[in-house]
């Protein structure tokens, strides 16, 4: 059988539409109309292949095949053969392509016009290649396993009419090893079972198939940090998922298919257990404000209404051991109603709001207080003590589009939106339309702020306020607050609303940051007598001990050592009652230590990452 290569692959209407919407400069389609030599060399090396096709209703489905390298090979003339264990009872793709095709019944299927697509992928090396074509033929037969049991093996032949190599971006490394599957159908209904929702919460990759009508298909992966795919709802009214589209090669082939034919088939693997989730549904591509309203910090998202699903226990013929994550992965983007920690977000209205830098004070060599005026207080909304403000520095620091940048991979998906705790109180001298943040100079954005001259009139978009780290002080109760360095900021905003005589501040601080404590006690003298400071870090010739002595003059207790568990067993000399609520704002390492020390107490905590 001989196949003739066609000419150059042209963009279809969905792809050109998406590229115009996203203002992408024209480029020729790099897809080859045949199996390229690169693809032919790579396929025998991949231990895993995602395979997609359409069901009788035109809905895409995707499955994952493989287990070890060598199960896919080129037969020449742009023909590919696959030989692999499969689940003939529950796998939707195998059911569509090879229904009733048992041993002895194989035949060519060109007249059936079963279009297929595939993604050969090696997660260990982050290599992948896309294929599209038609099913030529296939067969199912029983085979014996090394353990003495039986499994079903599929042999599938595909005519490749398109192939394209893909970059390694957003691929988290995994070592794939084969295993004999023992598939068991858990659920074939929507809404999804709890086990499937839990799988989505920890998944760092999914595979998606889409089509341009019934003419051609494409299969690709989407990946990132665990939990990048969010569940909007999953109840008797339906199941809706959403995931962000990160910056890539800007071909927009998957999105082009979804623009023309808004349907997708997704498979989500559990590399640890072998469980697998197959889903198909209708899609909606959201751009710009519509994307950001649903998934803040996103300019492009895909929303999927699930129509049918199958969750299969132990359905994969392989397992995967996690390795190095992709250096290009951005942080998980939470839904608007989740916020950064599962709380509701207070949105800015449709009117653009700006925060203008009007004052800068350096409290230590690396800590500063910055005051901003808010251009439109009505549109921004009034923040609450304990909340943080989200500011966008994209216009100031954005570097424009770049596909790959190995010297600084995180910069490509750094949307330059930063969240800072508002450290100024609602009352106490700060005008209604002004706010302060107290921050450490530790990153790209904070370094930019520290370099600013106030007279330059820096203005940045204000995206909104979020957070619910509110300190509740019941009658006669002493409130213990443990702060790690700059973690004092949420307390600062709430001090005027608290009885400081019934606050016990336990504050760990580096000697180089003593200036922050001095500034705090000068602004709130009553707080000092309720504070125990634990100072650490090397002093420079004794010079840094002088400001430490000043802290004692304010009335604070100063311990020149690290905080210990015994320091938390009493509050102001009396045993801390188990009913006492503790508040913590510290970095990850200290926070985890404190939580282990206070495991029998009620703890409210907030983390900070700059």
């Amino acid at each position: 059988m001989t196949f003739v290569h066609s000419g150059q692959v042209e963009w279809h209407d969905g792809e050109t539409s998406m590229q115009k919407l996203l203002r992408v400069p024209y480029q020729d389609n790099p897809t080859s109309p045949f199996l390229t030599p690169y693809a032919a060399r790579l396929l025998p090396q991949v231990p895993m292949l995602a395979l997609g096709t359409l069901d009788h209703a035109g809905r895409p489905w995707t499955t994952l095949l493989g287990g070890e390298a060598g199960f896919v090979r080129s037969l020449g003339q742009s023909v590919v053969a696959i030989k692999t264990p499969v689940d003939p009872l529950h796998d939707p793709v195998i059911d569509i392509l090879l229904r009733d095709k048992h041993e002895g019944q194989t035949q060519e299927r060109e007249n059936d016009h079963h279009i297929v697509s595939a993604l050969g992928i090696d997660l260990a090396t982050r290599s992948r290649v896309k294929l599209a074509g038609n099913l030529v033929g296939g067969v199912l037969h029983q085979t014996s396993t090394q353990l003495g049991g039986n499994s079903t093996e599929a042999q599938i032949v595909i005519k490749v009419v398109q192939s394209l190599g893909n970059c390694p971006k957003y691929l988290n490394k995994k070592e794939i090893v084969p295993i004999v599957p023992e598939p068991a159908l858990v659920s074939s209904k929507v809404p999804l079972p709890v086990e499937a929702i839990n799988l989505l919460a920890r998944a760092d990759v999914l595979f998606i198939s889409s089509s341009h009508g019934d003419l051609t298909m494409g299969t690709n992966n989407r990946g990132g940090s665990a939990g990048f795919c969010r569940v909007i709802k999953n109840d008797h009214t339906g199941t809706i998922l959403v995931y962000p589209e990160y910056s890539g090669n800007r071909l927009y082939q998957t999105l082009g298919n979804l623009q023309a034919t808004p349907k997708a088939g997704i498979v989500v693997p559990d590399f640890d257990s072998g469980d697998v989730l197959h889903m198909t549904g209708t899609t909606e591509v959201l751009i710009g404000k519509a994307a950001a309203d649903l998934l803040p910090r996103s300019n492009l998202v895909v929303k999927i209404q699930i129509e049918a699903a199958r969750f299969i226990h132990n359905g994969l013929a392989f397992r995967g051991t996690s390795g190095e994550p992709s250096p290009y992965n951005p942080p998980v983007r939470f839904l608007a109603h989740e916020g950064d920690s599962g709380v509701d977000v207070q949105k800015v209205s449709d009117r653009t709001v700006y925060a203008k830098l009007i004052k800068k004070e350096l409290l230590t060599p690396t800590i500063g207080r910055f005051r901003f005026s808010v251009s439109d207080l009505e549109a921004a909304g009034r923040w609450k003590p304990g909340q943080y403000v989200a500011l966008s520095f994209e216009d100031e620091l954005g570097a424009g589009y770049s596909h790959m940048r190995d010297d600084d991979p995180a910069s490509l998906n750094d949307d330059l939106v930063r969240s800072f705790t508002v450290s100024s109180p609602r009352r106490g001298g700060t005008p209604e339309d002004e706010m302060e943040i107290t921050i450490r100079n530790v990153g790209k954005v904070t370094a930019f702020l520290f370099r600013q001259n106030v007279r330059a009139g820096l203005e940045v978009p204000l995206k909104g306020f979020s957070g619910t780290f509110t300190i509740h002080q019941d009658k006669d109760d002493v409130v213990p607050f443990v702060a790690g360095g700059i973690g004092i900021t949420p307390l600062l905003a709430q001090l005027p609303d608290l009885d400081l005589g019934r606050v016990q501040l336990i504050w760990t601080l580096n000697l180089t940051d003593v200036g922050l404590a001095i500034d705090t006690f000068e602004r709130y003298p009553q707080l000092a007598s309720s504070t125990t400071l634990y100072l650490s870090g090397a002093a420079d010739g004794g010079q840094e001990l002088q400001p430490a002595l000043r802290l004692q003059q304010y009335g604070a207790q100063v311990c020149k050592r690290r905080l210990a568990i015994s320091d938390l067993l009493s509050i102001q000399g009396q045993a801390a009652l188990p009913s006492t609520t503790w508040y913590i704002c510290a970095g990850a390492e200290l926070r985890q230590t404190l939580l282990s020390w206070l495991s029998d107490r009620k703890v409210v905590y907030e983390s900070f990452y700059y």
Side-chain angles (χ1 to χ4, degrees), residues 18-34:
M18 185 56 61
Q19 292 163 5
K20 288 178 181 178
L21 283 171
L22 296 172
R23 301 177 182 177
V24 177
Y26 178 80
Q27 60 177 312
D28 289 336
N29 192 334
T31 303
S32 298
F34 51 85

Side-chain angles (χ1 to χ4, degrees), residues 469 471 479-485 487-488 490-491 503-508 532 534 563 567-568 581-587 590-591 594-595 597-598 603-606 608:
F469 193 52
I471 300 169
V479 176
F481 189 102
V482 187
I488 190 68
L491 177 63
V503 172
Q504 180 63 41
L505 173 60
I506 301 169
W507 193 357
T508 69
T532 303
Y534 294 86
L563 180 68
D567 299 317
L568 303 184
T581 299
W582 288 71
Y583 295 85
I584 296 175
C585 187
L590 176 57
R591 184 179 73 251
L594 292 169
L595 290 174
W597 289 351
L598 299 169
V603 179
V604 177
Y605 64 90
E606 182 166 278
F608 56 89

Side-chain angles (χ1 to χ4, degrees), residues 155-211:
Q155 295 183 19
I156 301 170
V157 180
I158 295 172
K159 172 190 172 182
V160 176
V161 297
Q162 293 183 10
S163 67
L164 176 68
N166 278 47
C167 72
K169 215 170 176 184
Y170 313 120
L171 291 180
N172 303 308
K173 285 190 173 182
K174 287 181 174 62
E175 292 288 343
I176 302 299
V177 295
I179 194 169
V180 178
E182 297 179 356
L185 182 64
V186 176
S187 172
S188 58
K189 299 179 180 179
V190 176
L192 301 176
V194 173
E195 300 95 323
I197 296 298
N198 292 339
L199 169 56
L200 287 168
R202 60 180 181 271
D204 63 4
V205 67
L206 59 82
F207 298 87
I208 181 170
S209 295
S210 56
S211 74

Side-chain angles (χ1 to χ4, degrees), residues 535-572:
L535 302 179
S536 61
D540 183 11
Q543 296 300 312
E544 292 171 347
L545 294 178
Q546 296 304 315
L549 294 175
R550 286 184 59 188
L551 297 174
Q552 293 177 316
Q553 297 174 3
Y554 287 104
Q557 297 182 47
V558 178
C559 301
K560 297 170 187 175
R561 60 176 175 82
R562 292 185 178 275
L563 180 68
I565 186 173
S566 57
D567 299 317
L568 303 184
L569 298 181
S570 64
I571 297 176
Q572 293 184 332

Side-chain angles (χ1 to χ4, degrees), residues 216-386:
T216 187
M217 291 190 67
T219 296
N220 212 336
N221 70 286
R222 293 295 183 264
S225 301
F228 75 99
C229 181
R230 311 304 297 170
V231 180
I232 297 177
K233 73 171 183 174
N234 182 57
D235 55 32
H236 69 280
T237 64
T239 298
I240 301 178
L241 312 178
V242 65
Y243 70 83
E245 287 279 342
Y246 302 140
S247 67
N249 55 20
R250 301 207 292 182
L251 301 181
Y252 298 118
Q253 293 175 316
T254 297
L255 294 186
N257 283 344
L258 299 182
Q259 184 77 355
T261 309
K263 299 178 181 180
I266 291 175
V267 64
V268 185
D270 187 328
F271 290 97
D272 295 326
S273 68
D275 294 348
V276 59
L277 174 62
H278 303 273
M279 297 177 287
T280 188
T282 58
T283 62
E284 182 181 5
V285 178
L286 304 179
I287 303 174
K289 184 179 182 301
D293 283 349
L294 181 62
L295 202 65
R297 304 184 183 182
S298 299
N299 184 59
L300 192 59
V301 305
V302 174
K303 181 180 175 183
I304 309 168
Q305 172 84 50
I306 304 302
E307 296 178 348
R310 298 183 189 181
F311 181 63
I312 303 166
H313 175 67
N314 197 9
L316 297 176
F318 53 83
R319 299 290 185 270
T321 302
S322 295
E324 178 189 20
S326 170
Y328 291 92
N329 288 343
V332 171
R333 298 174 184 175
F334 294 92
L335 295 165
H337 69 268
E338 293 177 305
D340 284 345
S341 56
V343 297
D344 285 347
V345 173
Q346 177 183 331
K347 293 183 183 177
V348 172
S349 76
D350 292 343
R351 301 200 298 269
T352 302
V353 180
Y354 291 94
K356 181 178 181 180
L357 180 63
I358 59 175
K359 187 176 182 180
K360 178 177 76 172
E361 300 173 85
L362 296 184
L363 308 179
T364 78
T366 61
I367 296 176
R369 182 166 55 239
F370 298 79
R371 178 173 290 199
F372 293 84
S373 63
V374 180
S375 65
D376 190 337
L377 191 61
E378 179 183 359
R382 197 68 170 97
W383 62 90
K384 301 175 183 177

